[in-house]
Amino acid sequence: MKTAVSTTKSTTWSLVFSDFKEITKARLAVSVVFSSLAGYLLAPTSFNLVSLLLLAFGGYCMVGASNAFNQIIERDLDALMNRTKNRPIPSGRMSVNKALVIAVSLTVLGVASLYYLNAKTAMFGAISIFLYTSVYTPLKTKTPLAVFVGAFPGAIPFMLGWVAANNEFGIEPGTLFMIQFFWQFPHFWALGWMLDEDYSKGGFKMLPTGKKDAGTALQIIMYTIWMILISIIPVFGITGQLVLSIPAAVIIFLMGLTMLFFAFRLYEKRDNPSARKLMLASVSYITLMQIVYVIDKFI
């Protein structure tokens, strides 16, 4: 009997943990935290483990809160789409009130953690939540410009780490912001291309032209080019204390060209497999680019 009760409790906690990961979009949150930590390590300050842990915890809470609020707002639309109908709220595994408690608790914990680092970091974190939930989320069913608006909170994490370490906003965190800002367009439009049929069930307008056509593919190419150029700007010595060596710039440039190649393939073929390859290339690019930046600083 004890074994059966223990197994039931273990299963229950496993489901609770699984739903928590899903309501906060754990994989996305971890990738955002990674960007924040990379930005922190790039700042010209001494390493502080406590600050790094607070940034990681606060960053996860802020992203988790944004995603929880988003799923509360879009619960009826999520029920219409195959990729989201099994989320905790539309599936009935979690009540709206419980999700709201999670979202509010994570917001408070996140702001408090980031405020302990400095007020500017907490402010940018709070702005990120506000833009994501109050502007980006409602616009997704209104206009394709939602992706442009969503790129602002999405670009904050990389620069947030620098601000957390340095307690100032200038050309350096501004450059980190712009890199991740322009990266999001090819990334999310490739994702939107792949999921366009499913998105249409929820009424979401994610592609710039509203169609999987040459116009959308061309815009993906243009934003990828801007992303590549901005990613290597620090090599020219015009971004203050954010610097990049020539070898590192060459590596990042070549990685960007690889992503651009997949963007051209999408323009040529205009099919879902090509969009998927571009999306995966974009994920690899943003992670490897940040790793190269950090390694380049310390060698």
Side-chain angles (χ1 to χ4, degrees), residues 123-182:
M123 178 190 71
F124 281 120
I127 289 173
S128 176
I129 288 182
F130 174 78
L131 289 176
Y132 190 88
T133 59
S134 301
V135 186
Y136 167 66
T137 296
L139 283 178
K140 285 162 69 178
T141 57
K142 309 293 185 198
T143 171
L145 286 175
V147 174
F148 178 80
V149 174
F152 283 89
I156 286 176
F158 200 16
M159 60 149 259
L160 192 70
W162 185 290
V163 175
N166 242 30
N167 193 22
E168 64 178 33
F169 182 86
I171 185 67
E172 301 92 346
T175 302
L176 298 179
F177 176 91
M178 293 305 292
I179 292 171
Q180 198 149 354
F181 179 81
F182 280 98

Short mmCIF file of all heavy atoms in Angstrom, two decimals, residues 123-182:
data_model
loop_
_atom_site.label_atom_id
_atom_site.label_comp_id
_atom_site.label_asym_id
_atom_site.label_seq_id
_atom_site.Cartn_x
_atom_site.Cartn_y
_atom_site.Cartn_z
N MET A 123 14.10 47.24 -14.10
CA MET A 123 13.24 48.03 -14.98
C MET A 123 13.12 47.39 -16.36
O MET A 123 12.01 47.24 -16.89
CB MET A 123 13.80 49.45 -15.13
CG MET A 123 13.00 50.34 -16.08
SD MET A 123 13.84 51.90 -16.45
CE MET A 123 15.20 51.32 -17.49
N PHE A 124 14.26 46.98 -16.93
CA PHE A 124 14.22 46.35 -18.25
C PHE A 124 13.48 45.02 -18.21
O PHE A 124 12.77 44.65 -19.15
CB PHE A 124 15.64 46.16 -18.79
CG PHE A 124 16.25 47.40 -19.36
CD1 PHE A 124 17.42 47.92 -18.84
CD2 PHE A 124 15.66 48.06 -20.43
CE1 PHE A 124 17.99 49.08 -19.36
CE2 PHE A 124 16.21 49.21 -20.96
CZ PHE A 124 17.38 49.73 -20.42
N GLY A 125 13.64 44.29 -17.11
CA GLY A 125 12.90 43.03 -16.96
C GLY A 125 11.41 43.26 -16.92
O GLY A 125 10.63 42.54 -17.56
N ALA A 126 10.99 44.28 -16.18
CA ALA A 126 9.57 44.61 -16.08
C ALA A 126 9.01 45.10 -17.42
O ALA A 126 7.89 44.74 -17.80
CB ALA A 126 9.35 45.67 -15.00
N ILE A 127 9.80 45.90 -18.13
CA ILE A 127 9.39 46.37 -19.47
C ILE A 127 9.18 45.19 -20.40
O ILE A 127 8.24 45.16 -21.20
CB ILE A 127 10.44 47.34 -20.04
CG1 ILE A 127 10.40 48.68 -19.29
CG2 ILE A 127 10.21 47.58 -21.53
CD1 ILE A 127 11.51 49.63 -19.68
N SER A 128 10.07 44.20 -20.29
CA SER A 128 9.97 43.01 -21.13
C SER A 128 8.65 42.29 -20.92
O SER A 128 7.96 41.92 -21.88
CB SER A 128 11.14 42.07 -20.83
OG SER A 128 11.02 40.87 -21.57
N ILE A 129 8.26 42.09 -19.67
CA ILE A 129 7.00 41.43 -19.36
C ILE A 129 5.82 42.24 -19.89
O ILE A 129 4.90 41.70 -20.51
CB ILE A 129 6.83 41.21 -17.84
CG1 ILE A 129 7.77 40.12 -17.34
CG2 ILE A 129 5.40 40.80 -17.50
CD1 ILE A 129 7.62 39.82 -15.87
N PHE A 130 5.86 43.55 -19.67
CA PHE A 130 4.76 44.41 -20.10
C PHE A 130 4.58 44.38 -21.61
O PHE A 130 3.46 44.20 -22.12
CB PHE A 130 5.00 45.86 -19.64
CG PHE A 130 3.99 46.83 -20.18
CD1 PHE A 130 2.72 46.91 -19.61
CD2 PHE A 130 4.29 47.64 -21.27
CE1 PHE A 130 1.77 47.79 -20.13
CE2 PHE A 130 3.35 48.51 -21.79
CZ PHE A 130 2.09 48.59 -21.22
N LEU A 131 5.68 44.54 -22.36
CA LEU A 131 5.58 44.55 -23.82
C LEU A 131 5.10 43.20 -24.36
O LEU A 131 4.29 43.14 -25.29
CB LEU A 131 6.94 44.90 -24.44
CG LEU A 131 7.41 46.34 -24.30
CD1 LEU A 131 8.81 46.50 -24.88
CD2 LEU A 131 6.44 47.29 -24.99
N TYR A 132 5.60 42.13 -23.77
CA TYR A 132 5.25 40.79 -24.25
C TYR A 132 3.78 40.47 -24.03
O TYR A 132 3.10 39.97 -24.92
CB TYR A 132 6.12 39.74 -23.56
CG TYR A 132 6.01 38.36 -24.17
CD1 TYR A 132 6.83 37.99 -25.23
CD2 TYR A 132 5.09 37.42 -23.70
CE1 TYR A 132 6.74 36.73 -25.81
CE2 TYR A 132 4.99 36.17 -24.27
CZ TYR A 132 5.81 35.83 -25.32
OH TYR A 132 5.70 34.58 -25.90
N THR A 133 3.30 40.79 -22.84
CA THR A 133 1.92 40.39 -22.49
C THR A 133 0.87 41.42 -22.88
O THR A 133 -0.24 41.05 -23.27
CB THR A 133 1.80 40.13 -20.97
OG1 THR A 133 2.16 41.31 -20.25
CG2 THR A 133 2.73 39.01 -20.55
N SER A 134 1.21 42.70 -22.80
CA SER A 134 0.21 43.74 -23.00
C SER A 134 0.19 44.34 -24.41
O SER A 134 -0.77 44.99 -24.79
CB SER A 134 0.42 44.88 -21.98
OG SER A 134 0.31 44.38 -20.67
N VAL A 135 1.28 44.12 -25.17
CA VAL A 135 1.34 44.69 -26.52
C VAL A 135 1.48 43.57 -27.57
O VAL A 135 0.65 43.43 -28.46
CB VAL A 135 2.50 45.70 -26.66
CG1 VAL A 135 2.45 46.37 -28.03
CG2 VAL A 135 2.44 46.75 -25.56
N TYR A 136 2.53 42.77 -27.44
CA TYR A 136 2.79 41.71 -28.42
C TYR A 136 1.66 40.69 -28.49
O TYR A 136 1.14 40.38 -29.57
CB TYR A 136 4.11 41.01 -28.08
CG TYR A 136 4.35 39.72 -28.82
CD1 TYR A 136 4.54 39.69 -30.19
CD2 TYR A 136 4.38 38.50 -28.12
CE1 TYR A 136 4.76 38.50 -30.86
CE2 TYR A 136 4.60 37.31 -28.78
CZ TYR A 136 4.79 37.31 -30.16
OH TYR A 136 5.00 36.12 -30.81
N THR A 137 1.25 40.16 -27.35
CA THR A 137 0.22 39.11 -27.32
C THR A 137 -1.10 39.55 -27.96
O THR A 137 -1.63 38.83 -28.82
CB THR A 137 -0.01 38.61 -25.88
OG1 THR A 137 1.20 38.00 -25.41
CG2 THR A 137 -1.13 37.59 -25.83
N PRO A 138 -1.66 40.72 -27.61
CA PRO A 138 -2.92 41.13 -28.26
C PRO A 138 -2.77 41.40 -29.76
O PRO A 138 -3.72 41.20 -30.51
CB PRO A 138 -3.30 42.41 -27.51
CG PRO A 138 -2.55 42.36 -26.23
CD PRO A 138 -1.28 41.65 -26.53
N LEU A 139 -1.58 41.85 -30.17
CA LEU A 139 -1.38 42.22 -31.58
C LEU A 139 -1.25 41.00 -32.50
O LEU A 139 -1.43 41.12 -33.72
CB LEU A 139 -0.13 43.09 -31.73
CG LEU A 139 -0.26 44.56 -31.33
CD1 LEU A 139 1.08 45.27 -31.51
CD2 LEU A 139 -1.34 45.25 -32.15
N LYS A 140 -0.96 39.83 -31.94
CA LYS A 140 -0.71 38.64 -32.76
C LYS A 140 -1.90 38.27 -33.65
O LYS A 140 -1.73 37.68 -34.71
CB LYS A 140 -0.32 37.45 -31.88
CG LYS A 140 1.09 37.54 -31.35
CD LYS A 140 1.31 36.62 -30.17
CE LYS A 140 1.29 35.16 -30.54
NZ LYS A 140 1.57 34.29 -29.37
N THR A 141 -3.11 38.60 -33.20
CA THR A 141 -4.30 38.30 -34.00
C THR A 141 -4.76 39.51 -34.82
O THR A 141 -5.75 39.42 -35.52
CB THR A 141 -5.46 37.84 -33.10
OG1 THR A 141 -5.72 38.85 -32.12
CG2 THR A 141 -5.11 36.53 -32.40
N LYS A 142 -4.03 40.63 -34.70
CA LYS A 142 -4.43 41.86 -35.38
C LYS A 142 -3.58 42.18 -36.60
O LYS A 142 -4.10 42.58 -37.65
CB LYS A 142 -4.35 43.05 -34.41
CG LYS A 142 -5.06 42.87 -33.09
CD LYS A 142 -6.57 42.79 -33.25
CE LYS A 142 -7.23 42.74 -31.87
NZ LYS A 142 -8.60 42.24 -31.92
N THR A 143 -2.26 42.03 -36.45
CA THR A 143 -1.35 42.48 -37.50
C THR A 143 -0.02 41.73 -37.46
O THR A 143 0.45 41.36 -36.37
CB THR A 143 -1.07 43.99 -37.36
OG1 THR A 143 -0.03 44.37 -38.27
CG2 THR A 143 -0.64 44.34 -35.95
N PRO A 144 0.61 41.52 -38.62
CA PRO A 144 1.94 40.91 -38.65
C PRO A 144 3.01 41.75 -37.96
O PRO A 144 4.09 41.26 -37.65
CB PRO A 144 2.24 40.79 -40.15
CG PRO A 144 0.90 40.77 -40.81
CD PRO A 144 0.05 41.68 -39.97
N LEU A 145 2.70 43.03 -37.70
CA LEU A 145 3.64 43.90 -36.99
C LEU A 145 3.87 43.43 -35.56
O LEU A 145 4.77 43.93 -34.87
CB LEU A 145 3.12 45.33 -36.99
CG LEU A 145 3.23 46.10 -38.32
CD1 LEU A 145 2.56 47.46 -38.19
CD2 LEU A 145 4.68 46.24 -38.75
N ALA A 146 3.07 42.48 -35.12
CA ALA A 146 3.25 41.91 -33.78
C ALA A 146 4.66 41.35 -33.62
O ALA A 146 5.26 41.46 -32.53
CB ALA A 146 2.22 40.82 -33.52
N VAL A 147 5.20 40.75 -34.67
CA VAL A 147 6.55 40.18 -34.60
C VAL A 147 7.57 41.28 -34.35
O VAL A 147 8.52 41.12 -33.59
CB VAL A 147 6.89 39.41 -35.89
CG1 VAL A 147 8.34 38.94 -35.87
CG2 VAL A 147 5.95 38.20 -36.03
N PHE A 148 7.38 42.46 -34.99
CA PHE A 148 8.26 43.60 -34.77
C PHE A 148 8.20 44.05 -33.32
O PHE A 148 9.23 44.29 -32.68
CB PHE A 148 7.87 44.75 -35.71
CG PHE A 148 8.69 45.99 -35.54
CD1 PHE A 148 9.95 46.10 -36.10
CD2 PHE A 148 8.20 47.06 -34.79
CE1 PHE A 148 10.72 47.25 -35.93
CE2 PHE A 148 8.95 48.21 -34.61
CZ PHE A 148 10.21 48.31 -35.19
N VAL A 149 6.99 44.15 -32.79
CA VAL A 149 6.82 44.56 -31.39
C VAL A 149 7.43 43.52 -30.45
O VAL A 149 8.12 43.85 -29.49
CB VAL A 149 5.33 44.77 -31.07
CG1 VAL A 149 5.14 45.06 -29.58
CG2 VAL A 149 4.75 45.90 -31.91
N GLY A 150 7.18 42.25 -30.75
CA GLY A 150 7.69 41.18 -29.91
C GLY A 150 9.20 41.07 -29.92
O GLY A 150 9.80 40.52 -28.99
N ALA A 151 9.83 41.62 -30.98
CA ALA A 151 11.29 41.57 -31.06
C ALA A 151 11.94 42.45 -29.99
O ALA A 151 13.10 42.21 -29.62
CB ALA A 151 11.74 42.01 -32.44
N PHE A 152 11.22 43.44 -29.47
CA PHE A 152 11.79 44.31 -28.43
C PHE A 152 12.00 43.56 -27.12
O PHE A 152 13.12 43.53 -26.60
CB PHE A 152 10.92 45.55 -28.25
CG PHE A 152 11.11 46.58 -29.33
CD1 PHE A 152 10.35 46.54 -30.49
CD2 PHE A 152 12.07 47.57 -29.20
CE1 PHE A 152 10.53 47.48 -31.50
CE2 PHE A 152 12.27 48.51 -30.20
CZ PHE A 152 11.49 48.48 -31.36
N PRO A 153 10.95 42.95 -26.54
CA PRO A 153 11.20 42.19 -25.31
C PRO A 153 12.12 41.00 -25.57
O PRO A 153 12.90 40.60 -24.69
CB PRO A 153 9.81 41.73 -24.87
CG PRO A 153 8.96 41.80 -26.09
CD PRO A 153 9.51 42.96 -26.87
N GLY A 154 12.04 40.44 -26.78
CA GLY A 154 12.88 39.29 -27.10
C GLY A 154 14.35 39.63 -27.20
O GLY A 154 15.21 38.76 -27.05
N ALA A 155 14.66 40.91 -27.46
CA ALA A 155 16.06 41.32 -27.61
C ALA A 155 16.67 41.81 -26.30
O ALA A 155 17.88 42.06 -26.24
CB ALA A 155 16.14 42.43 -28.67
N ILE A 156 15.86 41.95 -25.27
CA ILE A 156 16.36 42.49 -24.00
C ILE A 156 17.35 41.56 -23.27
O ILE A 156 18.33 42.04 -22.69
CB ILE A 156 15.17 42.86 -23.08
CG1 ILE A 156 14.52 44.16 -23.60
CG2 ILE A 156 15.61 43.02 -21.62
CD1 ILE A 156 13.28 44.57 -22.83
N PRO A 157 17.16 40.23 -23.28
CA PRO A 157 18.02 39.37 -22.45
C PRO A 157 19.53 39.52 -22.67
O PRO A 157 20.29 39.57 -21.69
CB PRO A 157 17.56 37.96 -22.83
CG PRO A 157 16.13 38.14 -23.21
CD PRO A 157 16.07 39.46 -23.90
N PHE A 158 19.99 39.59 -23.93
CA PHE A 158 21.43 39.66 -24.20
C PHE A 158 22.02 40.93 -23.57
O PHE A 158 23.10 40.90 -22.97
CB PHE A 158 21.66 39.64 -25.71
CG PHE A 158 23.05 39.24 -26.13
CD1 PHE A 158 23.93 38.63 -25.25
CD2 PHE A 158 23.49 39.48 -27.44
CE1 PHE A 158 25.21 38.26 -25.65
CE2 PHE A 158 24.75 39.11 -27.84
CZ PHE A 158 25.62 38.51 -26.96
N MET A 159 21.32 42.05 -23.71
CA MET A 159 21.80 43.31 -23.14
C MET A 159 21.58 43.37 -21.63
O MET A 159 22.29 44.06 -20.91
CB MET A 159 21.13 44.50 -23.80
CG MET A 159 19.62 44.51 -23.66
SD MET A 159 18.91 46.17 -23.61
CE MET A 159 18.62 46.37 -21.86
N LEU A 160 20.57 42.61 -21.15
CA LEU A 160 20.23 42.65 -19.73
C LEU A 160 21.41 42.20 -18.87
O LEU A 160 21.64 42.75 -17.79
CB LEU A 160 19.02 41.76 -19.46
CG LEU A 160 18.36 41.90 -18.09
CD1 LEU A 160 17.66 43.26 -17.99
CD2 LEU A 160 17.34 40.78 -17.85
N GLY A 161 22.15 41.20 -19.35
CA GLY A 161 23.30 40.72 -18.61
C GLY A 161 24.35 41.80 -18.43
O GLY A 161 24.93 41.94 -17.34
N TRP A 162 24.60 42.57 -19.50
CA TRP A 162 25.58 43.66 -19.41
C TRP A 162 25.12 44.71 -18.40
O TRP A 162 25.90 45.17 -17.58
CB TRP A 162 25.76 44.29 -20.79
CG TRP A 162 26.84 45.34 -20.83
CD1 TRP A 162 26.80 46.58 -20.26
CD2 TRP A 162 28.12 45.23 -21.47
NE1 TRP A 162 27.96 47.26 -20.50
CE2 TRP A 162 28.79 46.46 -21.24
CE3 TRP A 162 28.75 44.24 -22.22
CZ2 TRP A 162 30.07 46.72 -21.74
CZ3 TRP A 162 30.02 44.49 -22.72
CH2 TRP A 162 30.67 45.70 -22.48
N VAL A 163 23.84 45.08 -18.48
CA VAL A 163 23.29 46.08 -17.56
C VAL A 163 23.35 45.57 -16.12
O VAL A 163 23.65 46.33 -15.18
CB VAL A 163 21.84 46.44 -17.95
CG1 VAL A 163 21.23 47.39 -16.93
CG2 VAL A 163 21.81 47.07 -19.34
N ALA A 164 23.08 44.28 -15.93
CA ALA A 164 23.14 43.70 -14.59
C ALA A 164 24.56 43.78 -14.02
O ALA A 164 24.74 44.01 -12.81
CB ALA A 164 22.69 42.24 -14.63
N ALA A 165 25.55 43.59 -14.86
CA ALA A 165 26.94 43.61 -14.40
C ALA A 165 27.49 45.02 -14.25
O ALA A 165 28.26 45.30 -13.33
CB ALA A 165 27.81 42.83 -15.39
N ASN A 166 27.07 45.93 -15.15
CA ASN A 166 27.69 47.26 -15.22
C ASN A 166 26.82 48.39 -14.67
O ASN A 166 27.29 49.50 -14.49
CB ASN A 166 28.04 47.59 -16.68
CG ASN A 166 29.52 47.77 -16.88
OD1 ASN A 166 30.31 47.17 -16.18
ND2 ASN A 166 29.89 48.62 -17.83
N ASN A 167 25.53 48.11 -14.50
CA ASN A 167 24.58 49.11 -14.00
C ASN A 167 24.54 50.36 -14.89
O ASN A 167 24.44 51.48 -14.39
CB ASN A 167 24.90 49.51 -12.56
CG ASN A 167 23.76 50.29 -11.92
OD1 ASN A 167 22.61 50.22 -12.35
ND2 ASN A 167 24.08 51.07 -10.89
N GLU A 168 24.67 50.16 -16.19
CA GLU A 168 24.55 51.29 -17.11
C GLU A 168 24.12 50.81 -18.49
O GLU A 168 24.37 49.65 -18.86
CB GLU A 168 25.86 52.05 -17.23
CG GLU A 168 27.00 51.25 -17.83
CD GLU A 168 28.29 52.06 -17.98
OE1 GLU A 168 28.53 52.95 -17.12
OE2 GLU A 168 29.03 51.81 -18.94
N PHE A 169 23.44 51.70 -19.22
CA PHE A 169 23.03 51.38 -20.58
C PHE A 169 23.73 52.34 -21.52
O PHE A 169 23.65 53.55 -21.36
CB PHE A 169 21.52 51.50 -20.75
CG PHE A 169 21.05 51.13 -22.14
CD1 PHE A 169 20.78 49.81 -22.46
CD2 PHE A 169 20.91 52.09 -23.12
CE1 PHE A 169 20.37 49.46 -23.73
CE2 PHE A 169 20.50 51.76 -24.40
CZ PHE A 169 20.23 50.43 -24.70
N GLY A 170 24.45 51.76 -22.51
CA GLY A 170 25.17 52.58 -23.47
C GLY A 170 25.30 51.86 -24.79
O GLY A 170 24.50 50.98 -25.13
N ILE A 171 26.34 52.20 -25.54
CA ILE A 171 26.54 51.62 -26.87
C ILE A 171 26.74 50.11 -26.82
O ILE A 171 26.31 49.38 -27.71
CB ILE A 171 27.75 52.30 -27.59
CG1 ILE A 171 27.88 51.79 -29.02
CG2 ILE A 171 29.04 52.08 -26.81
CD1 ILE A 171 26.75 52.20 -29.94
N GLU A 172 27.38 49.64 -25.74
CA GLU A 172 27.67 48.20 -25.65
C GLU A 172 26.41 47.36 -25.51
O GLU A 172 26.15 46.48 -26.35
CB GLU A 172 28.64 47.92 -24.49
CG GLU A 172 29.97 48.64 -24.61
CD GLU A 172 29.99 49.99 -23.91
OE1 GLU A 172 28.88 50.48 -23.58
OE2 GLU A 172 31.08 50.54 -23.71
N PRO A 173 25.60 47.58 -24.47
CA PRO A 173 24.35 46.80 -24.38
C PRO A 173 23.40 47.12 -25.51
O PRO A 173 22.61 46.26 -25.92
CB PRO A 173 23.77 47.19 -23.01
CG PRO A 173 24.39 48.50 -22.69
CD PRO A 173 25.76 48.46 -23.29
N GLY A 174 23.48 48.34 -26.05
CA GLY A 174 22.65 48.69 -27.21
C GLY A 174 22.98 47.83 -28.41
O GLY A 174 22.09 47.40 -29.16
N THR A 175 24.27 47.56 -28.60
CA THR A 175 24.71 46.69 -29.71
C THR A 175 24.24 45.26 -29.50
O THR A 175 23.75 44.60 -30.44
CB THR A 175 26.25 46.72 -29.84
OG1 THR A 175 26.69 48.06 -30.04
CG2 THR A 175 26.71 45.84 -31.01
N LEU A 176 24.37 44.77 -28.27
CA LEU A 176 23.90 43.41 -27.96
C LEU A 176 22.40 43.31 -28.21
O LEU A 176 21.91 42.29 -28.72
CB LEU A 176 24.22 43.06 -26.51
CG LEU A 176 25.71 43.03 -26.12
CD1 LEU A 176 25.86 42.69 -24.64
CD2 LEU A 176 26.49 42.06 -26.99
N PHE A 177 21.68 44.36 -27.85
CA PHE A 177 20.23 44.40 -28.09
C PHE A 177 19.93 44.30 -29.58
O PHE A 177 19.06 43.51 -30.00
CB PHE A 177 19.66 45.70 -27.52
CG PHE A 177 18.19 45.90 -27.79
CD1 PHE A 177 17.23 45.44 -26.90
CD2 PHE A 177 17.76 46.55 -28.95
CE1 PHE A 177 15.87 45.62 -27.15
CE2 PHE A 177 16.41 46.73 -29.20
CZ PHE A 177 15.46 46.27 -28.31
N MET A 178 20.63 45.08 -30.40
CA MET A 178 20.36 45.12 -31.83
C MET A 178 20.69 43.79 -32.51
O MET A 178 19.98 43.37 -33.44
CB MET A 178 21.15 46.24 -32.49
CG MET A 178 20.70 47.64 -32.07
SD MET A 178 18.93 47.92 -32.33
CE MET A 178 18.84 47.90 -34.12
N ILE A 179 21.72 43.10 -32.06
CA ILE A 179 22.06 41.79 -32.63
C ILE A 179 20.89 40.82 -32.46
O ILE A 179 20.43 40.19 -33.41
CB ILE A 179 23.33 41.20 -31.95
CG1 ILE A 179 24.56 42.02 -32.31
CG2 ILE A 179 23.53 39.74 -32.40
CD1 ILE A 179 25.80 41.63 -31.51
N GLN A 180 20.40 40.73 -31.22
CA GLN A 180 19.32 39.78 -30.95
C GLN A 180 17.99 40.28 -31.53
O GLN A 180 17.13 39.47 -31.88
CB GLN A 180 19.19 39.52 -29.45
CG GLN A 180 18.41 38.27 -29.12
CD GLN A 180 18.86 37.61 -27.83
OE1 GLN A 180 19.85 38.01 -27.21
NE2 GLN A 180 18.17 36.57 -27.41
N PHE A 181 17.83 41.59 -31.65
CA PHE A 181 16.62 42.16 -32.24
C PHE A 181 16.47 41.71 -33.69
O PHE A 181 15.43 41.19 -34.09
CB PHE A 181 16.67 43.69 -32.16
CG PHE A 181 15.49 44.38 -32.77
CD1 PHE A 181 14.30 44.51 -32.06
CD2 PHE A 181 15.55 44.91 -34.05
CE1 PHE A 181 13.19 45.15 -32.62
CE2 PHE A 181 14.46 45.55 -34.62
CZ PHE A 181 13.28 45.67 -33.90
N PHE A 182 17.51 41.90 -34.50
CA PHE A 182 17.42 41.55 -35.92
C PHE A 182 17.42 40.03 -36.14
O PHE A 182 16.83 39.55 -37.11
CB PHE A 182 18.56 42.21 -36.71
CG PHE A 182 18.30 43.64 -37.02
CD1 PHE A 182 18.84 44.65 -36.24
CD2 PHE A 182 17.48 44.00 -38.08
CE1 PHE A 182 18.58 45.99 -36.51
CE2 PHE A 182 17.21 45.33 -38.37
CZ PHE A 182 17.76 46.33 -37.57
#
